[in-house]
Amino acid sequence: MSENADSTQNRHFLLRRLHSLSGIVPIGVFLIVHLVTNSTIAWGGLNSRVDQEGFGWIDRSIATFQHEVSFINNMPLLLLIEITLWSAIGFHSILGVYYAMSGKGNTGAYKYGGNLRYALQRTTGYFGIFFIFYHVATLRWGWTWLIPGDAVWSHEAASSTFAAALRGSPEEFTAVGMVVAVFYFFGVSSLIFHFANGLWSAAITWGITISRPAQKRWGFMCAGIGASLMILAWMSIIGFATLDYDRAVEVENAMHGEQIHLNSEDALDAVTLTGHDDTDG
Amino acid sequence: MSEAEAYSYDADMRKANRKQAVEGRSVIFKIKRCDGPGKPTRWESFKVPIETGANVISSLNWIAANPVTVEGTKTTPVVWDSSCLEEVCGACTMLINGRVRQSCSCLIDEYAPKEGDTISLEPMGKFPVIRDLWVDRQRLFSNLTRVKAWVPIDGTYNMGAGPKESHEQQQMRYALSECMSCGCCLEACPQFTKEEDESKWDSSFVGAHAISQARYFNEHETGKQLKGERMDALSGAGGINDCGNAQNCVKVCPKGIPLTESIGSIGRSATMHAIKQFFQGKK
Ligand code: SF4
Ligand code: SF4
Ligand code: FES
């Protein structure tokens, strides 16, 4: 074999395996961390360290989430971490689309479970890219024109502003807000399926699971991982979609050390939607 | 891995059909016809009286003797390929009711138990059609060459008796040896797509049969000698990494070959091969 053929062959192998690996580290790992953080809106009440005078379960949840978001925003080299993630996601997406286009689904004729997973892995990939783009563009890059009601997400008022972005308005669901929330639900669920199924097939790709029983056992574990992540994701979405906006604002302000009166419209305006357009602090 | 599992998709349905098969019935064969490479395709239907124990090949024989469509038009006899008539050569593989399998072992009772039931026959879609149901499986064989699916014994001196093999190893390799190069695993694979351009065959997906045969010969004491070359071929474009793990191959393989285990095993060999190459710095 010529030198040339060897190098193409090695490049092919390297790209394929990097594609597989990048889905787990860093993307998969980040997905887990992100979902654990976000779901604190539902279970953060367990966290007594953020407790303040008069705080109930939901207040501690809001406070915990705020605490986590502030922590992340104060991390050193945050931009570097972000750039690593964006490039990994970009790499995984571009190569993934290219690879997916090389195959031709046939679930019509062969309705096997594995074939359905194969097809779903591709659809959830496409949909996931679309969702991640929307998610990052609106909440991180500040493309507020894509958010109904022009809400601006702010890491200083993390829960309240996200609830507003998800619902289409601070207080209640608007029709477009509903669409956004449903989009979030399917987007996140797609990505989790993609991750769990990817974990399962990566084990075959790398030759970790060989025997049929091993593939099956690992399959159950991946399903377990997927199901747990789904629960975290749905808890987060429900948590934010049903969040008491005013209460959240109050807790967030309490955390920043300013006491704001619950019913004072002026005071609310100071920290809410229009007040913050610097999303990265 | 049992035979039952290989056909598990609708085994129950086929068993139930066999029980209620009506004697003396006639069945309609809807056949996708094509007069030659690159020629347009058309569908023709034939009404065939079914005898006890009839299969698709015996029905095709009847059609060859009576090439008249249901509309009463005389046509050319339908062409197909077959040889062993006992599901060991793979030549008669085609799409029956849209799914790939051997036609010689396909009993009419299981597919069309009642008067006027229809069975559709099409040539495999991933290989070039020579005529009607007859396809050219050359690419399948060429892919076996790509992975050097043989034991190297040619040389200038006598290599003596082969090395001993353990019983377990024999059992494992026996299952892999049963491949009859039929092409079912390629036809059902979403990653194995039709490629007319022969020059692209070597960089398109090799398919489960070749991956499994590479494992078969890698595990052979003498066949091992070519393992490095096989792994070179399988690490490149169209090799093991192009498998999308849909696992259709193992579901349709008529010989119940544990193809997905071979894919995992070759995946492991490819990982090891790459690590070895990286640290030995040969390439
Ligand atoms: S497991 Fe791989 S070889 Fe088998 S059908 Fe799926 S993609 Fe094709
Ligand atoms: S592995 Fe099975 S399906 Fe594939 S060619 Fe061999 S016998 Fe046919
Ligand atoms: S004729 Fe040989 S398998 Fe059918």
Side-chain angles (χ1 to χ4, degrees):
Chain A
M1 216 173 259
S2 71
E3 275 291 308
N4 206 6
D6 285 342
S7 67
T8 346
Q9 181 192 88
N10 289 342
R11 196 180 59 221
H12 179 89
F13 184 86
L14 195 69
L15 284 177
R16 278 283 188 175
R17 292 295 172 98
L18 274 179
H19 177 247
S20 173
L21 189 68
S22 62
I24 301 170
V25 188
I27 305 174
V29 170
F30 170 73
L31 178 73
I32 296 175
V33 173
H34 195 36
L35 289 175
V36 170
T37 309
N38 290 2
S39 58
T40 53
I41 196 66
W43 58 265
L46 289 173
N47 179 12
S48 55
R49 291 200 300 181
V50 288
D51 221 354
Q52 286 187 25
E53 180 84 44
F55 266 19
W57 173 275
I58 185 63
D59 306 308
R60 284 197 298 276
S61 298
I62 296 166
T64 307
F65 181 65
Q66 183 57 53
H67 184 265
E68 294 308 307
V69 171
S70 302
F71 168 75
I72 291 168
N73 269 277
N74 288 325
M75 271 194 335
L77 302 179
L78 180 62
L79 192 64
L80 195 71
I81 298 174
E82 282 185 304
I83 289 174
T84 312
L85 267 171
W86 292 336
S87 8
I89 293 172
F91 172 80
H92 192 85
S93 307
I94 291 169
L95 237 65
V97 169
Y98 173 72
Y99 292 151
M101 286 187 340
S102 72
K104 219 167 154 197
N106 55 8
T107 39
Y110 303 97
K111 293 191 183 64
Y112 307 126
N115 204 16
L116 246 56
R117 275 201 305 271
Y118 168 93
L120 262 180
Q121 186 70 357
R122 278 136 190 85
T123 340
T124 52
Y126 293 139
F127 190 61
I129 295 173
F130 190 55
F131 170 72
I132 292 177
F133 183 78
Y134 174 82
H135 180 58
V136 175
T138 50
L139 300 190
R140 175 64 185 83
W141 301 336
W143 295 18
T144 43
W145 49 276
L146 278 174
I147 307 179
D150 288 337
V152 178
W153 184 72
S154 156
H155 65 82
E156 282 159 15
S159 305
S160 55
T161 52
F162 180 61
L166 197 63
R167 295 198 284 235
S169 86
E171 304 296 343
E172 59 211 28
F173 268 112
T174 63
V176 212
M178 210 60 137
V179 175
V180 172
V182 170
F183 180 53
Y184 260 82
F185 174 79
F186 284 110
V188 179
S189 306
S190 292
L191 288 169
I192 295 170
F193 172 86
H194 192 87
F195 174 58
N197 189 49
L199 264 187
W200 176 77
S201 60
I204 302 174
T205 304
W206 291 83
I208 296 166
T209 53
I210 292 182
S211 78
R212 205 175 282 244
Q215 290 181 10
K216 211 168 187 171
R217 279 194 292 269
W218 178 235
F220 283 128
M221 290 183 70
C222 292
I225 294 171
S228 321
L229 292 179
M230 289 276 186
I231 291 172
L232 289 184
W234 297 344
M235 269 165 48
S236 321
I237 293 179
I238 295 171
F240 286 112
T242 58
L243 190 72
D244 179 341
Y245 181 81
D246 297 337
R247 190 76 197 156
V249 171
E250 207 184 5
V251 172
E252 282 153 6
N253 287 327
M255 290 193 65
H256 297 305
E258 323 160 29
Q259 293 295 337
I260 283 182
H261 216 274
L262 189 61
N263 292 322
S264 148
E265 288 293 327
D266 297 345
L268 275 181
D269 279 342
V271 278
T272 52
L273 311 179
T274 44
H276 295 263
D277 47 13
D278 59 329
T279 46
D280 55 357
Chain B
M1 175 74 206
S2 65
E3 233 183 273
E5 202 173 338
Y7 278 137
S8 64
Y9 181 60
D10 53 3
D12 291 342
M13 178 205 87
R14 289 189 286 120
K15 212 157 135 197
N17 281 348
R18 206 155 64 201
K19 283 209 190 98
Q20 48 166 326
V22 180
E23 245 179 81
R25 71 191 184 283
S26 290
V27 159
I28 309 291
F29 281 84
K30 202 173 150 237
I31 302 177
K32 192 174 187 182
R33 310 229 24 204
C34 171
D35 290 338
K39 298 265 173 65
T41 57
R42 64 180 190 280
W43 288 90
E44 278 178 5
S45 296
F46 302 86
K47 192 169 181 181
V48 180
I50 301 302
E51 286 171 22
T52 323
N55 60 39
V56 169
I57 299 277
S58 71
S59 308
L60 283 169
N61 272 320
W62 191 91
I63 294 171
N66 310 277
V68 180
T69 66
V70 281
E71 292 87 19
T73 342
K74 200 162 162 45
T75 177
T76 48
V78 177
V79 176
W80 76 94
D81 193 8
S82 68
S83 171
C84 70
L85 300 183
E86 53 178 358
E87 206 185 80
V88 290
C89 77
C92 67
T93 310
M94 59 181 71
L95 300 184
I96 299 175
N97 285 354
R99 249 178 305 141
V100 72
R101 64 164 294 171
Q102 278 67 53
S103 51
C104 66
S105 58
C106 178
L107 296 174
I108 308 301
D109 283 0
E110 294 187 348
Y111 279 71
K114 296 201 207 68
E115 173 69 32
D117 277 354
T118 304
I119 295 183
S120 80
L121 304 180
E122 293 163 73
M124 284 198 277
K126 307 276 171 88
F127 303 98
V129 173
I130 298 173
R131 187 164 179 175
D132 294 338
L133 302 171
W134 181 21
V135 298
D136 179 2
R137 288 177 296 146
Q138 187 50 47
R139 182 173 162 204
L140 183 155
F141 300 108
S142 135
N143 286 351
L144 288 175
T145 323
R146 219 165 122 191
V147 300
K148 300 194 178 359
W150 57 74
V151 172
I153 46 163
D154 290 345
T156 50
Y157 62 95
N158 185 350
M159 294 171 79
K164 289 229 162 46
E165 209 174 340
S166 74
H167 182 63
E168 287 76 43
Q169 185 75 357
Q170 278 175 8
Q171 292 290 95
M172 191 281 282
R173 291 206 323 117
Y174 181 75
L176 305 182
S177 77
E178 286 182 279
C179 175
M180 58 176 172
S181 306
C182 65
C184 284
C185 55
L186 306 179
E187 179 67 25
C189 171
Q191 288 293 103
F192 189 92
T193 48
K194 188 168 186 174
E195 182 53 74
E196 317 256 4
D197 182 357
E198 250 183 78
S199 68
K200 290 202 184 126
W201 283 0
D202 275 355
S203 54
S204 312
F205 185 42
V206 275
H209 76 304
I211 293 172
S212 191
Q213 287 300 296
R215 179 190 184 202
Y216 175 56
F217 287 104
N218 279 353
E219 303 268 343
H220 183 280
E221 289 300 329
T222 314
K224 255 187 197 141
Q225 289 173 14
L226 295 179
K227 186 171 178 181
E229 289 171 53
R230 289 192 194 104
M231 293 323 299
D232 276 347
L234 284 170
S235 300
I240 181 70
N241 290 314
D242 287 28
C243 165
N245 292 307
Q247 307 207 329
N248 287 355
C249 48
V250 75
K251 285 272 166 54
V252 297
C253 175
K255 296 291 148 191
I257 297 171
L259 294 169
T260 44
E261 300 195 348
S262 292
I263 289 166
S265 171
I266 290 292
R268 180 178 292 181
S269 303
T271 308
M272 295 305 173
H273 186 67
I275 294 174
K276 220 167 100 186
Q277 270 191 347
F278 184 82
F279 288 107
Q280 290 188 342
K282 241 179 74 201
K283 280 168 189 166

